[in-house]
Amino acid sequence: MRIPLICVLFLSVFSSLAQTKYPQDVFRSPMDIPIILAGTFGELRSNHFHAGIDIKTQLREGLPIYGIADGTVTRIKISHWGYGKALYVAHPNGYTSVYAHLQKFSPEIEAYIKKIQYQKKSYEVEVFPDYGELKIKQGDVIAYSGNSGSSGGPHLHFEIRSSVTEKPTNPLLYGYEVRDATNPTLLGLYGYPLENAHINGSENQLQINFTKQKDGSFLADEVTALGTIGFGVNGFDRLDMAANKNGVYSVKQIVNGKVYSEFDFETFSFAESRYINTLIDYKHFGKHRQRIQKLFKEPYNKLSIYKQLYLDGKIIIEQGLSYNVEILLADYKGNKTKLIIPVKGAKEAIKSPKKVEKTDNYILANKPNSFDLGAAKVFFPENTFYNDFYIDLKKGKDTVGIHDNTVAAHRNFTISFDASAFPAEERKQLFIARLKDSDQTPSYTKTYKRGNTFTARTRTFGTYTIAKDTTPPVITPKNFKAKQWLTNYRYLSLTIADDLSGINSYNATINGEWILMEYEPKTRTITYTFDDKIMDKTECNLKVTVTDNVGNTTTLEQTFFRK
């Protein structure tokens, strides 16, 4: 059988990457300022691991971003959320660098992408330039730092991925220097009775106290246990010159001198990232918003971050025996925090029996499950959840309740409402809404309408109902007034807002020609830069149309003048 040449090349590159260390002193820094991190690789985020490092940009936007090596642009993506403005550059050595939350691209790349935006008449675009079409040299300015997308403040999100597998790797592995002389901080230790077990007389998860020793290590209070147990910890790492609470690089658990579990954040696959919800104690996270990392691996955990596992990190405690459990938290620079847990195998009277919150409905995770809740039907495909559990469902004539945020859904489930009781004309302004826990105000859930049936696909539990939005969006000029002369203005800026279902689309023209409006949803601002087009008329007629998610539309028309 003949193997295509491209496959041979890919396999050759992949094999060479697997057999060699990560290249050192090959990639330059993406910025000419000290690398101070606001976020580390593998950091625990909502439903995913952080796939890069977040480099602080001194609270500023517009700092130059440099290509870390010779390469070619293979992907440009602009979106309202997520990575915002993002650039992907493939390098000849088999790696791809990623730069996200950008303010803008270099002039050549900016002209390339704006041409496509005007062709598609869309701010949000994703393109894959032909290989070699947009070449860069190491040290070329390729973009400028920004705060676009889901960024919480100005910074550069920077990644290095394998060009073959698309797996991200920790950028610090490539020789980038960060200052970090501080040991990780240990916040909490938790014990988990797993199988026919108890810890300190409890059959439920419990917190274990510890104290700091003279040598800087920590010693937990002696634990009395029996059966198969596990431990979990939560903590963070802090780098020099930064107050951010970053994720730790590695965690190791040693029992009587033997490594029972060890994982680190050298690399991971995007396909497995959502399994972060099996690494953490998700129930605890739902109640307390704290991420406890379990040091044992459960059957539904598909993560590949583990370097060593013995008995899946679970510890079998036998009567009359003693165990010394050592937990090491380490950052990338090798600073370590040690915790010692003395465990004594002994039977104790059960003071806290295992709590099982039973309801009328039970989920079998590996089977499809459907329920009629009166006002709506809910369908969970097989493997929506990681394990079997009692689900709390509330029936109603107008609203339905679907469990709470202490269980993670790995896949989307479907909620279907019958809207036949509403007049046909009124249905246009209806949508499926989740009522916020804080004040019960409706929040838009993307709604698919087919006849009388409204359907939404979501991973979020809560209270759902059908809501109505009759109010159109509001458009307000931000930096100009009607009939104003704007000769020296660089841009036009307007705010757009919707009180309920949210903005779905926006469109703008000047003298009937479509113009590119950049939308920043965090500030509810749309902006047009005059450099995009040369206005050949003194009198300019601006028309902006904004539509919300149920079709309510507002149009603003104003005239301004420009020489």
Side-chain angles (χ1 to χ4, degrees):
M1 181 178 68
R2 297 181 63 188
I3 302 176
L5 178 59
I6 191 169
C7 293
V8 173
L9 292 174
F10 274 10
L11 289 172
S12 175
V13 171
F14 180 74
S15 176
S16 66
L17 291 178
Q19 295 173 10
T20 60
K21 293 182 178 180
Y22 297 99
Q24 306 293 299
D25 304 320
V26 172
F27 297 134
R28 64 152 285 162
S29 174
M31 303 191 74
D32 276 347
I33 58 175
I35 296 180
I36 301 174
L37 300 185
T40 51
F41 182 84
E43 208 163 71
L44 309 182
R45 302 285 178 88
S46 292
N47 300 309
H48 71 285
F49 297 106
H50 190 226
I53 56 175
D54 288 341
I55 302 175
K56 288 175 173 284
T57 57
Q58 302 171 343
L59 302 177
R60 294 188 290 165
E61 297 186 45
L63 299 182
I65 306 298
Y66 301 96
I68 62 171
D70 294 356
T72 181
V73 177
T74 54
R75 182 184 180 193
I76 307 170
K77 186 175 182 181
I78 298 177
S79 53
H80 295 144
W81 297 106
Y83 280 10
K85 293 186 178 182
L87 190 67
Y88 300 71
V89 179
H91 306 287
N93 59 356
Y95 294 97
T96 292
S97 54
V98 182
Y99 316 79
H101 304 309
L102 303 171
Q103 181 192 64
K104 60 182 178 180
F105 306 107
S106 66
E108 180 187 5
I109 299 172
E110 190 78 9
Y112 176 90
I113 196 65
K114 280 194 174 182
K115 182 178 179 181
I116 293 171
Q117 288 174 309
Y118 272 94
Q119 288 173 348
K120 296 187 175 183
K121 295 185 176 181
S122 174
Y123 171 67
E124 291 192 296
V125 293
E126 182 176 17
V127 295
F128 300 87
D130 292 337
Y131 196 89
E133 186 175 3
L134 292 173
K135 291 183 178 180
I136 69 162
K137 289 290 187 181
Q138 185 179 55
D140 283 352
V141 175
I142 57 175
Y144 296 88
S145 66
N147 187 33
S148 59
S150 298
S151 170
H155 72 277
L156 172 66
H157 174 88
F158 174 64
E159 300 178 16
I160 297 180
R161 304 180 181 181
S162 163
S163 297
V164 179
T165 65
E166 284 290 318
K167 289 181 67 174
T169 46
N170 193 326
L172 299 184
L173 294 165
Y174 299 85
Y176 292 115
E177 183 62 29
V178 296
R179 290 176 56 182
D180 185 358
T182 306
N183 295 336
T185 297
L186 177 66
L187 293 176
L189 169 66
Y190 298 82
Y192 294 83
L194 299 175
E195 300 167 26
N196 301 316
H198 64 75
I199 299 176
N200 293 345
S202 175
E203 295 180 334
N204 302 291
Q205 177 249 53
L206 75 165
Q207 188 165 5
I208 301 169
N209 294 325
F210 54 83
T211 54
K212 193 170 186 177
Q213 306 300 293
K214 291 182 179 180
D215 63 357
S217 66
F218 293 88
L219 178 66
D221 295 349
E222 185 181 64
V223 168
T224 301
L226 207 62
T228 301
I229 69 170
F231 290 105
V233 294
N234 70 319
F236 64 86
D237 186 43
R238 184 168 276 153
L239 284 74
D240 296 357
M241 300 181 292
N244 305 75
K245 295 180 178 180
N246 302 124
V248 298
Y249 178 71
S250 68
V251 183
K252 182 186 289 188
Q253 177 185 226
I254 305 167
V255 182
N256 291 344
K258 183 179 181 63
V259 176
Y260 268 51
S261 63
E262 180 183 9
F263 59 85
D264 66 28
F265 292 104
E266 174 187 346
T267 184
F268 63 86
S269 167
F270 285 110
E272 69 185 36
S273 193
R274 196 172 180 88
Y275 282 103
I276 184 176
N277 294 328
T278 67
L279 173 68
I280 66 172
D281 180 341
Y282 197 86
K283 183 175 182 179
H284 184 92
F285 174 68
K287 289 183 175 180
H288 306 288
R289 312 312 291 176
Q290 296 174 342
R291 293 184 175 93
I292 299 170
Q293 299 181 68
K294 294 182 287 190
L295 306 184
F296 53 95
K297 185 179 181 182
E298 299 184 274
Y300 42 82
N301 180 335
K302 308 298 182 184
L303 293 171
S304 62
I305 61 174
Y306 296 93
K307 301 298 182 183
Q308 296 188 71
L309 274 176
Y310 175 71
L311 298 179
D312 285 333
K314 301 172 183 177
I315 309 168
I316 302 173
I317 306 297
E318 297 182 13
Q319 178 82 28
L321 298 182
S322 295
Y323 303 80
N324 184 74
V325 180
E326 182 178 324
I327 296 172
L328 295 174
L329 307 181
D331 59 28
Y332 180 77
K333 298 292 283 188
N335 303 302
K336 292 184 175 68
T337 295
K338 180 193 291 188
L339 169 66
I340 300 295
I341 313 168
V343 181
K344 180 177 69 175
K347 188 172 184 179
E348 276 195 353
I350 303 302
K351 294 171 283 189
S352 177
K354 188 173 184 62
K355 298 175 184 176
V356 179
E357 298 173 359
K358 293 187 177 182
T359 67
D360 293 335
N361 299 294
Y362 193 72
I363 289 284
L364 296 173
N366 64 347
K367 302 286 185 183
N369 297 265
S370 59
F371 301 92
D372 187 341
L373 303 182
K377 293 181 173 63
V378 59
F379 172 70
F380 302 104
E382 62 184 57
N383 300 319
T384 298
F385 305 106
Y386 300 114
N387 56 349
D388 304 345
F389 70 103
Y390 284 97
I391 188 168
D392 185 18
L393 300 172
K394 293 182 174 61
K395 296 183 178 181
K397 294 182 178 179
D398 302 309
T399 62
V400 297
I402 305 173
H403 210 70
D404 57 37
N405 63 354
T406 60
V407 173
H410 191 75
R411 301 176 60 187
N412 282 318
F413 57 89
T414 302
I415 306 169
S416 298
F417 279 84
D418 181 1
S420 59
F422 297 93
E425 190 64 25
E426 188 178 350
R427 288 178 212 150
K428 296 177 182 179
Q429 297 173 312
L430 303 178
F431 63 94
I432 295 176
R434 185 175 66 85
L435 301 182
K436 295 179 181 178
D437 295 335
S438 56
D439 56 11
Q440 294 295 289
T441 58
S443 174
Y444 178 80
T445 301
K446 188 172 183 179
T447 304
Y448 302 89
K449 301 177 182 180
R450 180 175 294 180
N452 299 329
T453 303
F454 288 10
T455 302
R457 300 178 70 243
T458 182
R459 292 187 178 104
T460 305
F461 289 139
T463 302
Y464 286 86
T465 189
I466 290 182
K468 185 178 182 180
D469 183 0
T470 60
T471 306
V474 176
I475 307 173
T476 307
K478 193 173 180 181
N479 71 333
F480 68 98
K481 298 177 182 179
K483 303 293 181 71
Q484 186 175 350
W485 282 89
L486 306 179
T487 300
N488 297 321
Y489 278 50
R490 292 185 297 108
Y491 60 89
L492 283 176
S493 182
L494 305 94
T495 57
I496 58 176
D498 188 75
D499 73 331
L500 190 52
S501 63
I503 303 296
N504 176 266
S505 65
Y506 54 94
N507 187 71
T509 61
I510 292 180
N511 297 334
E513 291 188 58
W514 188 86
I515 58 172
L516 174 64
M517 283 285 190
E518 298 201 5
Y519 180 36
E520 175 48 82
K522 295 193 294 289
T523 60
R524 304 186 300 181
T525 302
I526 55 173
T527 303
Y528 165 68
T529 303
F530 284 115
D531 290 344
D532 285 356
K533 283 191 173 184
I534 298 173
M535 297 300 163
D536 57 359
K537 293 182 180 179
T538 300
E539 184 175 327
C540 302
N541 297 305
L542 173 68
K543 182 178 180 180
V544 180
T545 301
V546 180
T547 303
D548 66 19
N549 278 304
V550 297
N552 298 310
T553 297
T554 297
T555 298
L556 171 76
E557 295 190 61
Q558 284 198 1
T559 299
F560 63 88
F561 301 96
R562 183 175 172 84
K563 287 185 181 180

